[in-house]
Amino acid sequence: MAKSHFIAAAIGGVLVGGAFAILGVAGNQRTETIVEEAPVAAPASAASSAGLTPNAIYQHAAPAVVFVRARLVERSKTPFGLSQGQSNTATGSGFLVDHEGDILTNYHLVDGADRSSGVTVEFEDGVLRSAGVAAVDPANDLAVLRVDTRGLPPVRPLMLGDSSSVRVGDSTLAIGDPFGADRTLTSGIVSALQHQITAADGQTINNVIQTDQPLNPGNSGGPLMDAGGQVVGVDSQVATAGPTQTLTFAIPIDTADTILSRVDHRALHVAYIGLAAPHAGDTSPQSDDSDPGAVVGPVAARGPAALAGLRAGDVIQRVDDLGVGSIPDVLALVSTRSPGQNLTLQVRRGRSRRTLTVVLGSRTVPSPSG
């Protein structure tokens, strides 16, 4: 086994107005990562046999690569658990994978965004579309966005390859939007396989593809392609091993098979808690300013909140350790979560305080693809 010391960093989730920083895998500490290299193989010959050049691949693939913007409801976390700063917009890349309007990207780009209305994608020529989050896989740092492709110029989805066939030494190409630059192409080779990186939820992503590709903030979520123009990975993180050496990591495209198979093309499924938002002009009781929180109004019978024991008149003071001041604050946080996920509520009821665990339910909203 070969060993290397480096500090890893996300190459996406760049916040508008923020500076790119090198972040540690575990806090700010340097860590030792073991890299298991596969046997060296000759570069893929698909491009030469098909007569493809990097420019030909770029011309074919670039229209399917989009610029992703996510408005964060809360202060989100980087893939390594560190605060991203004061801005509330994350940016990165994604790519169209089918004719239904499904776009594959990184989960850490949309973590903290409203799943039904908090994400936009930009196609060529500045064409913007609102995107819903159709599925997420935090453990593998993957997400699927859904857009309405009606009215768009014809865009061919990228062809997904077989990441299990990738070998060390194979040529690679990547397209993304680093620093907001429109669809930049970079090239490199596979430098190692069977790597491990850490996902946003702290779990380990296995069999990651390591390349020497020069990538930058904003490339996250973009496609890593082989010499034949097929997608073999999703660009996710960069690392520095010194003042001049940079390594990049892509999640194997085979890992995305599970999340892509879960996508429901009929509707988007979003989290539901069973609390009603106050209407305009509502004179609902206010929380004590000395002990603030969100005063609970009507609670849906047999809804997730009711089943957890929440009652009208309770005051929700914290949701997953985040302070809230109104029911809209609570609902905004719920909009960033997934059906079936647990929420921990710190609640004041009269003079007593208690902790309730709500298992979020599911409701459907119209799919952007119609």
Side-chain angles (χ1 to χ4, degrees):
M1 292 185 179
K3 294 184 179 180
S4 63
H5 292 268
F6 61 84
I7 300 177
I11 58 175
V14 175
L15 293 177
V16 173
F20 175 61
I22 302 300
L23 307 174
V25 173
N28 289 318
Q29 303 299 314
R30 299 181 69 88
T31 63
E32 182 179 83
T33 298
I34 298 174
V35 180
E36 299 180 3
E37 296 193 3
V40 175
S45 59
S48 59
S49 63
L52 297 178
T53 64
N55 178 260
I57 293 173
Y58 176 81
Q59 295 298 329
H60 174 85
V65 179
V66 300
F67 183 47
V68 178
R69 294 183 182 89
R71 299 189 309 275
L72 306 183
V73 170
E74 59 177 289
R75 279 175 63 107
S76 186
K77 304 292 184 182
T78 73
F80 309 115
L82 302 177
S83 173
Q84 289 182 317
Q86 299 299 319
S87 178
N88 63 352
T89 302
T91 62
S93 303
F95 55 97
L96 195 67
V97 296
D98 58 32
H99 292 285
E100 302 290 339
D102 292 323
I103 292 170
L104 191 60
T105 188
N106 282 144
Y107 169 74
H108 70 254
L109 290 180
V110 299
D111 181 20
D114 186 308
R115 298 285 174 89
S116 62
S117 61
V119 183
T120 60
V121 299
E122 182 176 339
F123 288 85
E124 280 191 322
D125 300 323
V127 177
L128 293 175
R129 285 290 187 274
S130 176
V133 180
V136 297
D137 181 2
N140 288 305
D141 195 21
L142 294 172
V144 178
L145 309 180
R146 173 74 51 74
V147 299
D148 186 351
T149 58
R150 291 174 296 186
L152 284 177
V155 180
R156 291 173 293 190
L158 296 190
M159 183 174 295
L160 306 186
D162 177 8
S163 54
S164 68
S165 66
V166 173
R167 296 292 181 265
V168 172
D170 286 356
S171 299
T172 57
L173 296 168
I175 300 177
D177 288 81
F179 304 110
D182 188 30
R183 292 166 186 80
T184 298
L185 176 71
T186 57
S187 63
I189 63 168
V190 176
S191 53
L193 297 171
Q194 298 177 341
H195 213 298
Q196 293 182 338
I197 59 175
T198 305
D201 64 353
Q203 297 193 51
T204 299
I205 307 175
N206 296 311
N207 301 317
V208 172
I209 301 170
Q210 176 185 317
T211 74
D212 66 348
Q213 208 100 359
L215 297 178
N216 296 292
N219 271 106
S220 185
L224 179 72
M225 297 175 290
D226 63 17
Q230 294 188 333
V231 179
V232 293
V234 181
D235 292 318
S236 181
Q237 295 181 14
V238 297
T240 178
T244 60
Q245 185 180 4
T246 298
L247 306 175
T248 65
F249 304 100
I251 300 161
I253 196 61
D254 292 358
T255 303
D257 288 344
T258 299
I259 187 174
L260 291 173
S261 67
R262 293 204 320 258
V263 174
D264 185 345
H265 296 291
R266 296 167 298 178
L268 293 177
H269 298 268
V270 297
Y272 166 72
I273 191 172
L275 298 178
H279 298 291
D282 193 347
T283 57
S284 299
Q286 300 297 308
S287 176
D288 184 349
D289 289 341
S290 65
D291 196 11
V295 180
V296 176
V299 180
R302 305 295 299 171
L307 293 175
L310 199 66
R311 303 176 186 172
D314 286 349
V315 179
I316 302 172
Q317 297 186 301
R318 302 189 74 81
V319 178
D320 285 348
D321 292 328
L322 295 171
V324 292
S326 66
I327 292 301
D329 287 349
V330 176
L331 298 179
L333 291 175
V334 169
S335 75
T336 71
R337 305 304 205 264
S338 300
Q341 190 172 351
N342 290 348
L343 281 188
T344 301
L345 307 183
Q346 301 294 330
V347 176
R348 174 166 56 83
R349 180 176 297 165
R351 296 183 179 180
S352 66
R353 300 176 190 275
R354 62 197 65 207
T355 300
L356 303 178
T357 300
V358 179
V359 181
L360 295 174
S362 176
R363 65 182 179 89
T364 59
V365 296
S367 171
S369 63

